[in-house]
PDB file of all heavy atoms in Angstrom:
ATOM      1  N   PHE Y 526     -75.994 -95.237 -50.836  1.00 93.00           N
ATOM      2  CA  PHE Y 526     -74.690 -95.566 -51.398  1.00 93.00           C
ATOM      3  C   PHE Y 526     -74.697 -96.877 -52.162  1.00 93.00           C
ATOM      4  O   PHE Y 526     -73.642 -97.403 -52.505  1.00 93.00           O
ATOM      5  CB  PHE Y 526     -73.622 -95.552 -50.308  1.00 93.00           C
ATOM      6  CG  PHE Y 526     -73.315 -94.158 -49.837  1.00 93.00           C
ATOM      7  CD1 PHE Y 526     -73.618 -93.752 -48.548  1.00 93.00           C
ATOM      8  CD2 PHE Y 526     -72.754 -93.244 -50.712  1.00 93.00           C
ATOM      9  CE1 PHE Y 526     -73.360 -92.453 -48.141  1.00 93.00           C
ATOM     10  CE2 PHE Y 526     -72.489 -91.951 -50.307  1.00 93.00           C
ATOM     11  CZ  PHE Y 526     -72.800 -91.548 -49.019  1.00 93.00           C
ATOM     12  N   ARG Y 527     -75.864 -97.418 -52.404  1.00 93.00           N
ATOM     13  CA  ARG Y 527     -76.022 -98.592 -53.260  1.00 93.00           C
ATOM     14  C   ARG Y 527     -75.045 -99.693 -52.896  1.00 93.00           C
ATOM     15  O   ARG Y 527     -74.431-100.321 -53.754  1.00 93.00           O
ATOM     16  CB  ARG Y 527     -75.791 -98.229 -54.717  1.00 93.00           C
ATOM     17  CG  ARG Y 527     -76.640 -97.096 -55.211  1.00 93.00           C
ATOM     18  CD  ARG Y 527     -76.208 -96.807 -56.607  1.00 93.00           C
ATOM     19  NE  ARG Y 527     -76.622 -95.512 -57.092  1.00 93.00           N
ATOM     20  CZ  ARG Y 527     -75.983 -94.880 -58.069  1.00 93.00           C
ATOM     21  NH1 ARG Y 527     -74.916 -95.417 -58.607  1.00 93.00           N
ATOM     22  NH2 ARG Y 527     -76.415 -93.721 -58.486  1.00 93.00           N
ATOM     23  N   GLY Y 528     -74.861 -99.883 -51.596  1.00 91.00           N
ATOM     24  CA  GLY Y 528     -73.931-100.919 -51.154  1.00 91.00           C
ATOM     25  C   GLY Y 528     -74.597-102.279 -51.173  1.00 91.00           C
ATOM     26  O   GLY Y 528     -75.775-102.419 -51.486  1.00 91.00           O
ATOM     27  N   ASN Y 529     -73.812-103.267 -50.827  1.00 88.00           N
ATOM     28  CA  ASN Y 529     -74.315-104.625 -50.757  1.00 88.00           C
ATOM     29  C   ASN Y 529     -75.164-104.777 -49.498  1.00 88.00           C
ATOM     30  O   ASN Y 529     -74.699-104.580 -48.379  1.00 88.00           O
ATOM     31  CB  ASN Y 529     -73.122-105.583 -50.727  1.00 88.00           C
ATOM     32  CG  ASN Y 529     -73.552-107.022 -50.754  1.00 88.00           C
ATOM     33  OD1 ASN Y 529     -74.490-107.419 -50.085  1.00 88.00           O
ATOM     34  ND2 ASN Y 529     -72.853-107.810 -51.535  1.00 88.00           N
ATOM     35  N   LEU Y 531     -76.518-107.372 -48.064  1.00 85.00           N
ATOM     36  CA  LEU Y 531     -76.162-108.460 -47.151  1.00 85.00           C
ATOM     37  C   LEU Y 531     -75.003-108.042 -46.260  1.00 85.00           C
ATOM     38  O   LEU Y 531     -75.021-108.256 -45.047  1.00 85.00           O
ATOM     39  CB  LEU Y 531     -75.796-109.716 -47.941  1.00 85.00           C
ATOM     40  CG  LEU Y 531     -76.942-110.388 -48.686  1.00 85.00           C
ATOM     41  CD1 LEU Y 531     -76.447-111.586 -49.476  1.00 85.00           C
ATOM     42  CD2 LEU Y 531     -78.031-110.821 -47.709  1.00 85.00           C
ATOM     43  N   ILE Y 532     -73.999-107.428 -46.867  1.00 86.00           N
ATOM     44  CA  ILE Y 532     -72.835-107.020 -46.081  1.00 86.00           C
ATOM     45  C   ILE Y 532     -73.248-106.000 -45.031  1.00 86.00           C
ATOM     46  O   ILE Y 532     -72.845-106.072 -43.870  1.00 86.00           O
ATOM     47  CB  ILE Y 532     -71.749-106.418 -46.983  1.00 86.00           C
ATOM     48  CG1 ILE Y 532     -71.315-107.433 -48.042  1.00 86.00           C
ATOM     49  CG2 ILE Y 532     -70.565-105.980 -46.164  1.00 86.00           C
ATOM     50  CD1 ILE Y 532     -70.288-106.901 -49.007  1.00 86.00           C
ATOM     51  N   PHE Y 539     -72.821-107.202 -36.243  1.00 92.00           N
ATOM     52  CA  PHE Y 539     -71.583-107.091 -35.480  1.00 92.00           C
ATOM     53  C   PHE Y 539     -71.597-105.817 -34.625  1.00 92.00           C
ATOM     54  O   PHE Y 539     -71.241-105.832 -33.458  1.00 92.00           O
ATOM     55  CB  PHE Y 539     -70.382-107.022 -36.427  1.00 92.00           C
ATOM     56  CG  PHE Y 539     -69.788-108.359 -36.797  1.00 92.00           C
ATOM     57  CD1 PHE Y 539     -70.313-109.113 -37.831  1.00 92.00           C
ATOM     58  CD2 PHE Y 539     -68.697-108.859 -36.109  1.00 92.00           C
ATOM     59  CE1 PHE Y 539     -69.755-110.333 -38.182  1.00 92.00           C
ATOM     60  CE2 PHE Y 539     -68.142-110.087 -36.451  1.00 92.00           C
ATOM     61  CZ  PHE Y 539     -68.665-110.820 -37.491  1.00 92.00           C
ATOM     62  N   LEU Y 540     -72.007-104.736 -35.259  1.00 95.00           N
ATOM     63  CA  LEU Y 540     -71.949-103.437 -34.598  1.00 95.00           C
ATOM     64  C   LEU Y 540     -72.812-103.437 -33.343  1.00 95.00           C
ATOM     65  O   LEU Y 540     -72.380-103.003 -32.272  1.00 95.00           O
ATOM     66  CB  LEU Y 540     -72.431-102.359 -35.575  1.00 95.00           C
ATOM     67  CG  LEU Y 540     -72.144-100.915 -35.183  1.00 95.00           C
ATOM     68  CD1 LEU Y 540     -70.644-100.685 -35.097  1.00 95.00           C
ATOM     69  CD2 LEU Y 540     -72.750 -99.950 -36.180  1.00 95.00           C
ATOM     70  N   GLY Y 543     -71.303-105.539 -30.548  1.00 93.00           N
ATOM     71  CA  GLY Y 543     -70.187-104.907 -29.847  1.00 93.00           C
ATOM     72  C   GLY Y 543     -70.597-103.659 -29.085  1.00 93.00           C
ATOM     73  O   GLY Y 543     -70.261-103.496 -27.913  1.00 93.00           O
ATOM     74  N   VAL Y 546     -72.537-103.953 -25.633  1.00 92.00           N
ATOM     75  CA  VAL Y 546     -71.727-104.327 -24.469  1.00 92.00           C
ATOM     76  C   VAL Y 546     -70.782-103.196 -24.088  1.00 92.00           C
ATOM     77  O   VAL Y 546     -70.611-102.867 -22.910  1.00 92.00           O
ATOM     78  CB  VAL Y 546     -70.953-105.618 -24.758  1.00 92.00           C
ATOM     79  CG1 VAL Y 546     -70.104-105.999 -23.570  1.00 92.00           C
ATOM     80  CG2 VAL Y 546     -71.914-106.735 -25.106  1.00 92.00           C
ATOM     81  N   PHE Y 680     -82.649-114.116 -36.880  1.00 87.00           N
ATOM     82  CA  PHE Y 680     -82.464-115.030 -38.004  1.00 87.00           C
ATOM     83  C   PHE Y 680     -83.681-115.929 -38.174  1.00 87.00           C
ATOM     84  O   PHE Y 680     -84.077-116.256 -39.286  1.00 87.00           O
ATOM     85  CB  PHE Y 680     -81.197-115.860 -37.808  1.00 87.00           C
ATOM     86  CG  PHE Y 680     -79.950-115.038 -37.879  1.00 87.00           C
ATOM     87  CD1 PHE Y 680     -79.158-114.837 -36.763  1.00 87.00           C
ATOM     88  CD2 PHE Y 680     -79.590-114.428 -39.064  1.00 87.00           C
ATOM     89  CE1 PHE Y 680     -78.020-114.056 -36.832  1.00 87.00           C
ATOM     90  CE2 PHE Y 680     -78.448-113.652 -39.147  1.00 87.00           C
ATOM     91  CZ  PHE Y 680     -77.671-113.466 -38.028  1.00 87.00           C
ATOM     92  N   ILE Y 687     -89.357-115.747 -45.060  1.00 86.00           N
ATOM     93  CA  ILE Y 687     -89.262-116.487 -46.324  1.00 86.00           C
ATOM     94  C   ILE Y 687     -90.342-117.563 -46.361  1.00 86.00           C
ATOM     95  O   ILE Y 687     -91.020-117.765 -47.369  1.00 86.00           O
ATOM     96  CB  ILE Y 687     -87.860-117.096 -46.466  1.00 86.00           C
ATOM     97  CG1 ILE Y 687     -86.821-115.986 -46.577  1.00 86.00           C
ATOM     98  CG2 ILE Y 687     -87.802-118.018 -47.680  1.00 86.00           C
ATOM     99  CD1 ILE Y 687     -85.407-116.464 -46.637  1.00 86.00           C
ATOM    100  N   MET Y 726     -80.164-131.738 -26.238  1.00 76.00           N
ATOM    101  CA  MET Y 726     -79.426-130.919 -27.196  1.00 76.00           C
ATOM    102  C   MET Y 726     -80.160-130.847 -28.530  1.00 76.00           C
ATOM    103  O   MET Y 726     -80.165-129.829 -29.207  1.00 76.00           O
ATOM    104  CB  MET Y 726     -78.049-131.512 -27.447  1.00 76.00           C
ATOM    105  CG  MET Y 726     -77.148-131.373 -26.246  1.00 76.00           C
ATOM    106  SD  MET Y 726     -76.240-132.861 -25.966  1.00 76.00           S
ATOM    107  CE  MET Y 726     -75.484-132.527 -24.403  1.00 76.00           C
ATOM    108  N   TYR Y 733     -84.408-125.175 -35.399  1.00 85.00           N
ATOM    109  CA  TYR Y 733     -83.529-124.963 -36.547  1.00 85.00           C
ATOM    110  C   TYR Y 733     -83.668-126.108 -37.543  1.00 85.00           C
ATOM    111  O   TYR Y 733     -83.696-125.905 -38.756  1.00 85.00           O
ATOM    112  CB  TYR Y 733     -82.082-124.813 -36.080  1.00 85.00           C
ATOM    113  CG  TYR Y 733     -81.947-123.823 -34.961  1.00 85.00           C
ATOM    114  CD1 TYR Y 733     -81.484-124.193 -33.707  1.00 85.00           C
ATOM    115  CD2 TYR Y 733     -82.342-122.498 -35.150  1.00 85.00           C
ATOM    116  CE1 TYR Y 733     -81.390-123.275 -32.677  1.00 85.00           C
ATOM    117  CE2 TYR Y 733     -82.255-121.579 -34.124  1.00 85.00           C
ATOM    118  CZ  TYR Y 733     -81.780-121.975 -32.886  1.00 85.00           C
ATOM    119  OH  TYR Y 733     -81.697-121.071 -31.872  1.00 85.00           O
ATOM    120  N   LEU Y 740     -88.446-125.335 -44.940  1.00 78.00           N
ATOM    121  CA  LEU Y 740     -88.009-124.600 -46.131  1.00 78.00           C
ATOM    122  C   LEU Y 740     -87.846-125.545 -47.304  1.00 78.00           C
ATOM    123  O   LEU Y 740     -88.167-125.224 -48.437  1.00 78.00           O
ATOM    124  CB  LEU Y 740     -86.681-123.895 -45.850  1.00 78.00           C
ATOM    125  CG  LEU Y 740     -86.755-122.642 -45.009  1.00 78.00           C
ATOM    126  CD1 LEU Y 740     -85.380-122.064 -44.798  1.00 78.00           C
ATOM    127  CD2 LEU Y 740     -87.641-121.615 -45.673  1.00 78.00           C
ATOM    128  N   ALA Y 741     -87.330-126.727 -47.012  1.00 80.00           N
ATOM    129  CA  ALA Y 741     -87.046-127.654 -48.097  1.00 80.00           C
ATOM    130  C   ALA Y 741     -88.304-128.365 -48.572  1.00 80.00           C
ATOM    131  O   ALA Y 741     -88.505-128.571 -49.755  1.00 80.00           O
ATOM    132  CB  ALA Y 741     -86.024-128.685 -47.625  1.00 80.00           C
ATOM    133  N   ARG Y 761     -75.500 -95.986 -64.660  1.00 62.00           N
ATOM    134  CA  ARG Y 761     -74.413 -96.906 -64.386  1.00 62.00           C
ATOM    135  C   ARG Y 761     -73.154 -96.184 -63.958  1.00 62.00           C
ATOM    136  O   ARG Y 761     -72.795 -95.153 -64.522  1.00 62.00           O
ATOM    137  CB  ARG Y 761     -74.110 -97.734 -65.629  1.00 62.00           C
ATOM    138  CG  ARG Y 761     -74.882 -99.038 -65.673  1.00 62.00           C
ATOM    139  CD  ARG Y 761     -74.596 -99.753 -66.980  1.00 62.00           C
ATOM    140  NE  ARG Y 761     -75.440 -99.237 -68.028  1.00 62.00           N
ATOM    141  CZ  ARG Y 761     -75.033 -99.096 -69.295  1.00 62.00           C
ATOM    142  NH1 ARG Y 761     -73.791 -99.378 -69.607  1.00 62.00           N
ATOM    143  NH2 ARG Y 761     -75.868 -98.667 -70.219  1.00 62.00           N
TER     144      ARG Y 761
ATOM    145  N   ARG F 351     -64.059 -95.388 -65.343  1.00 74.00           N
ATOM    146  CA  ARG F 351     -64.232 -94.097 -64.710  1.00 74.00           C
ATOM    147  C   ARG F 351     -63.000 -93.663 -63.927  1.00 74.00           C
ATOM    148  O   ARG F 351     -62.746 -92.492 -63.742  1.00 74.00           O
ATOM    149  CB  ARG F 351     -65.421 -94.143 -63.761  1.00 74.00           C
ATOM    150  CG  ARG F 351     -66.710 -94.028 -64.513  1.00 74.00           C
ATOM    151  CD  ARG F 351     -67.843 -94.555 -63.699  1.00 74.00           C
ATOM    152  NE  ARG F 351     -68.994 -94.705 -64.589  1.00 74.00           N
ATOM    153  CZ  ARG F 351     -70.106 -94.006 -64.435  1.00 74.00           C
ATOM    154  NH1 ARG F 351     -70.237 -93.156 -63.456  1.00 74.00           N
ATOM    155  NH2 ARG F 351     -71.096 -94.177 -65.262  1.00 74.00           N
ATOM    156  N   TYR F 423     -68.988-117.454 -53.045  1.00 94.00           N
ATOM    157  CA  TYR F 423     -69.439-116.173 -53.579  1.00 94.00           C
ATOM    158  C   TYR F 423     -69.268-116.114 -55.087  1.00 94.00           C
ATOM    159  O   TYR F 423     -70.104-115.551 -55.796  1.00 94.00           O
ATOM    160  CB  TYR F 423     -68.649-115.039 -52.917  1.00 94.00           C
ATOM    161  CG  TYR F 423     -69.361-113.719 -52.927  1.00 94.00           C
ATOM    162  CD1 TYR F 423     -70.215-113.378 -51.894  1.00 94.00           C
ATOM    163  CD2 TYR F 423     -69.180-112.807 -53.959  1.00 94.00           C
ATOM    164  CE1 TYR F 423     -70.880-112.174 -51.892  1.00 94.00           C
ATOM    165  CE2 TYR F 423     -69.840-111.591 -53.966  1.00 94.00           C
ATOM    166  CZ  TYR F 423     -70.685-111.278 -52.921  1.00 94.00           C
ATOM    167  OH  TYR F 423     -71.343-110.081 -52.922  1.00 94.00           O
ATOM    168  N   PHE F 428     -74.101-117.272 -51.061  1.00 89.00           N
ATOM    169  CA  PHE F 428     -73.626-116.575 -49.873  1.00 89.00           C
ATOM    170  C   PHE F 428     -73.580-117.570 -48.730  1.00 89.00           C
ATOM    171  O   PHE F 428     -74.594-117.883 -48.119  1.00 89.00           O
ATOM    172  CB  PHE F 428     -74.559-115.413 -49.573  1.00 89.00           C
ATOM    173  CG  PHE F 428     -73.952-114.385 -48.662  1.00 89.00           C
ATOM    174  CD1 PHE F 428     -72.628-114.013 -48.774  1.00 89.00           C
ATOM    175  CD2 PHE F 428     -74.725-113.769 -47.705  1.00 89.00           C
ATOM    176  CE1 PHE F 428     -72.081-113.058 -47.939  1.00 89.00           C
ATOM    177  CE2 PHE F 428     -74.190-112.802 -46.862  1.00 89.00           C
ATOM    178  CZ  PHE F 428     -72.859-112.455 -46.988  1.00 89.00           C
ATOM    179  N   LEU F 480     -80.177-128.509 -51.142  1.00 90.00           N
ATOM    180  CA  LEU F 480     -81.497-127.918 -50.963  1.00 90.00           C
ATOM    181  C   LEU F 480     -81.663-126.665 -51.808  1.00 90.00           C
ATOM    182  O   LEU F 480     -82.739-126.385 -52.331  1.00 90.00           O
ATOM    183  CB  LEU F 480     -81.741-127.593 -49.482  1.00 90.00           C
ATOM    184  CG  LEU F 480     -81.920-128.800 -48.584  1.00 90.00           C
ATOM    185  CD1 LEU F 480     -82.074-128.372 -47.126  1.00 90.00           C
ATOM    186  CD2 LEU F 480     -83.135-129.615 -49.008  1.00 90.00           C
ATOM    187  N   ARG F 484     -84.368-127.567 -54.208  1.00 82.00           N
ATOM    188  CA  ARG F 484     -85.629-127.147 -53.623  1.00 82.00           C
ATOM    189  C   ARG F 484     -85.755-125.633 -53.545  1.00 82.00           C
ATOM    190  O   ARG F 484     -86.767-125.127 -53.081  1.00 82.00           O
ATOM    191  CB  ARG F 484     -85.792-127.724 -52.207  1.00 82.00           C
ATOM    192  CG  ARG F 484     -85.525-129.197 -52.083  1.00 82.00           C
ATOM    193  CD  ARG F 484     -86.657-130.051 -52.581  1.00 82.00           C
ATOM    194  NE  ARG F 484     -87.950-129.452 -52.253  1.00 82.00           N
ATOM    195  CZ  ARG F 484     -89.110-129.900 -52.701  1.00 82.00           C
ATOM    196  NH1 ARG F 484     -89.138-130.934 -53.496  1.00 82.00           N
ATOM    197  NH2 ARG F 484     -90.237-129.325 -52.360  1.00 82.00           N
ATOM    198  N   ILE F 490     -80.313-118.826 -45.441  1.00 81.00           N
ATOM    199  CA  ILE F 490     -81.070-119.290 -44.282  1.00 81.00           C
ATOM    200  C   ILE F 490     -80.598-120.672 -43.840  1.00 81.00           C
ATOM    201  O   ILE F 490     -80.336-120.901 -42.662  1.00 81.00           O
ATOM    202  CB  ILE F 490     -82.573-119.353 -44.620  1.00 81.00           C
ATOM    203  CG1 ILE F 490     -83.072-118.004 -45.111  1.00 81.00           C
ATOM    204  CG2 ILE F 490     -83.368-119.821 -43.433  1.00 81.00           C
ATOM    205  CD1 ILE F 490     -83.062-116.948 -44.072  1.00 81.00           C
ATOM    206  N   ILE F 493     -77.298-120.688 -42.019  1.00 85.00           N
ATOM    207  CA  ILE F 493     -77.422-120.155 -40.653  1.00 85.00           C
ATOM    208  C   ILE F 493     -77.974-121.242 -39.738  1.00 85.00           C
ATOM    209  O   ILE F 493     -77.476-121.484 -38.642  1.00 85.00           O
ATOM    210  CB  ILE F 493     -78.345-118.922 -40.623  1.00 85.00           C
ATOM    211  CG1 ILE F 493     -77.671-117.734 -41.300  1.00 85.00           C
ATOM    212  CG2 ILE F 493     -78.712-118.567 -39.192  1.00 85.00           C
ATOM    213  CD1 ILE F 493     -78.579-116.521 -41.428  1.00 85.00           C
ATOM    214  N   PHE F 497     -76.383-123.499 -36.140  1.00 89.00           N
ATOM    215  CA  PHE F 497     -76.992-123.867 -34.856  1.00 89.00           C
ATOM    216  C   PHE F 497     -76.984-125.389 -34.687  1.00 89.00           C
ATOM    217  O   PHE F 497     -76.684-125.912 -33.614  1.00 89.00           O
ATOM    218  CB  PHE F 497     -78.436-123.359 -34.789  1.00 89.00           C
ATOM    219  CG  PHE F 497     -78.557-121.874 -34.614  1.00 89.00           C
ATOM    220  CD1 PHE F 497     -79.007-121.064 -35.635  1.00 89.00           C
ATOM    221  CD2 PHE F 497     -78.218-121.278 -33.405  1.00 89.00           C
ATOM    222  CE1 PHE F 497     -79.126-119.696 -35.479  1.00 89.00           C
ATOM    223  CE2 PHE F 497     -78.332-119.902 -33.230  1.00 89.00           C
ATOM    224  CZ  PHE F 497     -78.787-119.107 -34.275  1.00 89.00           C
ATOM    225  N   TYR F 505     -73.339-132.440 -28.297  1.00 89.00           N
ATOM    226  CA  TYR F 505     -73.726-133.809 -27.990  1.00 89.00           C
ATOM    227  C   TYR F 505     -72.534-134.755 -28.096  1.00 89.00           C
ATOM    228  O   TYR F 505     -72.250-135.535 -27.193  1.00 89.00           O
ATOM    229  CB  TYR F 505     -74.833-134.261 -28.939  1.00 89.00           C
ATOM    230  CG  TYR F 505     -75.251-135.687 -28.705  1.00 89.00           C
ATOM    231  CD1 TYR F 505     -76.095-136.005 -27.635  1.00 89.00           C
ATOM    232  CD2 TYR F 505     -74.773-136.712 -29.504  1.00 89.00           C
ATOM    233  CE1 TYR F 505     -76.451-137.314 -27.396  1.00 89.00           C
ATOM    234  CE2 TYR F 505     -75.129-138.026 -29.265  1.00 89.00           C
ATOM    235  CZ  TYR F 505     -75.969-138.324 -28.207  1.00 89.00           C
ATOM    236  OH  TYR F 505     -76.321-139.616 -27.955  1.00 89.00           O
ATOM    237  N   LEU F 641     -65.063-110.428 -48.392  1.00 82.00           N
ATOM    238  CA  LEU F 641     -65.596-109.240 -49.029  1.00 82.00           C
ATOM    239  C   LEU F 641     -64.545-108.145 -49.111  1.00 82.00           C
ATOM    240  O   LEU F 641     -64.403-107.456 -50.114  1.00 82.00           O
ATOM    241  CB  LEU F 641     -66.822-108.750 -48.276  1.00 82.00           C
ATOM    242  CG  LEU F 641     -67.984-109.738 -48.337  1.00 82.00           C
ATOM    243  CD1 LEU F 641     -69.068-109.338 -47.372  1.00 82.00           C
ATOM    244  CD2 LEU F 641     -68.543-109.818 -49.743  1.00 82.00           C
ATOM    245  N   GLU F 676     -65.105-106.262 -26.460  1.00 85.00           N
ATOM    246  CA  GLU F 676     -66.129-105.996 -27.469  1.00 85.00           C
ATOM    247  C   GLU F 676     -65.749-104.839 -28.385  1.00 85.00           C
ATOM    248  O   GLU F 676     -66.315-104.686 -29.457  1.00 85.00           O
ATOM    249  CB  GLU F 676     -67.488-105.708 -26.822  1.00 85.00           C
ATOM    250  CG  GLU F 676     -68.274-106.947 -26.459  1.00 85.00           C
ATOM    251  CD  GLU F 676     -67.727-107.627 -25.218  1.00 85.00           C
ATOM    252  OE1 GLU F 676     -66.909-106.993 -24.500  1.00 85.00           O
ATOM    253  OE2 GLU F 676     -68.102-108.781 -24.959  1.00 85.00           O
ATOM    254  N   VAL F 679     -65.024-106.131 -31.662  1.00 89.00           N
ATOM    255  CA  VAL F 679     -66.209-106.452 -32.458  1.00 89.00           C
ATOM    256  C   VAL F 679     -66.701-105.189 -33.158  1.00 89.00           C
ATOM    257  O   VAL F 679     -67.062-105.211 -34.329  1.00 89.00           O
ATOM    258  CB  VAL F 679     -67.315-107.055 -31.567  1.00 89.00           C
ATOM    259  CG1 VAL F 679     -68.526-107.412 -32.400  1.00 89.00           C
ATOM    260  CG2 VAL F 679     -66.789-108.277 -30.840  1.00 89.00           C
ATOM    261  N   VAL F 680     -66.666-104.081 -32.419  1.00 93.00           N
ATOM    262  CA  VAL F 680     -67.117-102.817 -33.017  1.00 93.00           C
ATOM    263  C   VAL F 680     -66.191-102.414 -34.157  1.00 93.00           C
ATOM    264  O   VAL F 680     -66.645-102.027 -35.239  1.00 93.00           O
ATOM    265  CB  VAL F 680     -67.189-101.709 -31.940  1.00 93.00           C
ATOM    266  CG1 VAL F 680     -67.458-100.362 -32.590  1.00 93.00           C
ATOM    267  CG2 VAL F 680     -68.252-102.043 -30.927  1.00 93.00           C
ATOM    268  N   ALA F 683     -66.883-104.486 -37.072  1.00 92.00           N
ATOM    269  CA  ALA F 683     -68.139-104.076 -37.705  1.00 92.00           C
ATOM    270  C   ALA F 683     -67.914-102.854 -38.581  1.00 92.00           C
ATOM    271  O   ALA F 683     -68.391-102.787 -39.711  1.00 92.00           O
ATOM    272  CB  ALA F 683     -69.184-103.776 -36.633  1.00 92.00           C
ATOM    273  N   ALA F 691     -69.961-102.301 -47.312  1.00 88.00           N
ATOM    274  CA  ALA F 691     -71.288-101.791 -47.661  1.00 88.00           C
ATOM    275  C   ALA F 691     -71.268-100.320 -48.051  1.00 88.00           C
ATOM    276  O   ALA F 691     -72.070 -99.882 -48.853  1.00 88.00           O
ATOM    277  CB  ALA F 691     -72.247-102.015 -46.494  1.00 88.00           C
ATOM    278  N   ASN F 694     -69.082 -97.301 -51.705  1.00 90.00           N
ATOM    279  CA  ASN F 694     -69.431 -96.290 -52.706  1.00 90.00           C
ATOM    280  C   ASN F 694     -69.330 -94.878 -52.153  1.00 90.00           C
ATOM    281  O   ASN F 694     -69.196 -93.918 -52.899  1.00 90.00           O
ATOM    282  CB  ASN F 694     -70.841 -96.523 -53.228  1.00 90.00           C
ATOM    283  CG  ASN F 694     -70.853 -97.547 -54.343  1.00 90.00           C
ATOM    284  OD1 ASN F 694     -69.852 -97.721 -55.016  1.00 90.00           O
ATOM    285  ND2 ASN F 694     -71.959 -98.228 -54.506  1.00 90.00           N
ATOM    286  N   MET F 695     -69.418 -94.780 -50.841  1.00 92.00           N
ATOM    287  CA  MET F 695     -69.303 -93.465 -50.228  1.00 92.00           C
ATOM    288  C   MET F 695     -67.939 -92.876 -50.564  1.00 92.00           C
ATOM    289  O   MET F 695     -67.788 -91.669 -50.720  1.00 92.00           O
ATOM    290  CB  MET F 695     -69.452 -93.611 -48.717  1.00 92.00           C
ATOM    291  CG  MET F 695     -69.681 -92.331 -47.987  1.00 92.00           C
ATOM    292  SD  MET F 695     -70.166 -92.652 -46.299  1.00 92.00           S
ATOM    293  CE  MET F 695     -68.614 -92.963 -45.537  1.00 92.00           C
TER     294      MET F 695
END
Side-chain angles (χ1 to χ4, degrees):
Chain Y
F526 289 114
R527 306 176 198 156
N529 184 317
L531 292 178
I532 301 178
F539 270 84
L540 194 62
V546 179
F680 293 112
I687 295 176
M726 290 137 188
Y733 311 118
L740 284 179
R761 268 176 277 144
Chain F
R351 281 159 193 244
Y423 204 89
F428 198 39
L480 290 177
R484 311 283 323 172
I490 304 293
I493 290 174
F497 287 109
Y505 178 78
L641 295 169
E676 277 75 14
V679 181
V680 172
N694 276 335
M695 194 169 81

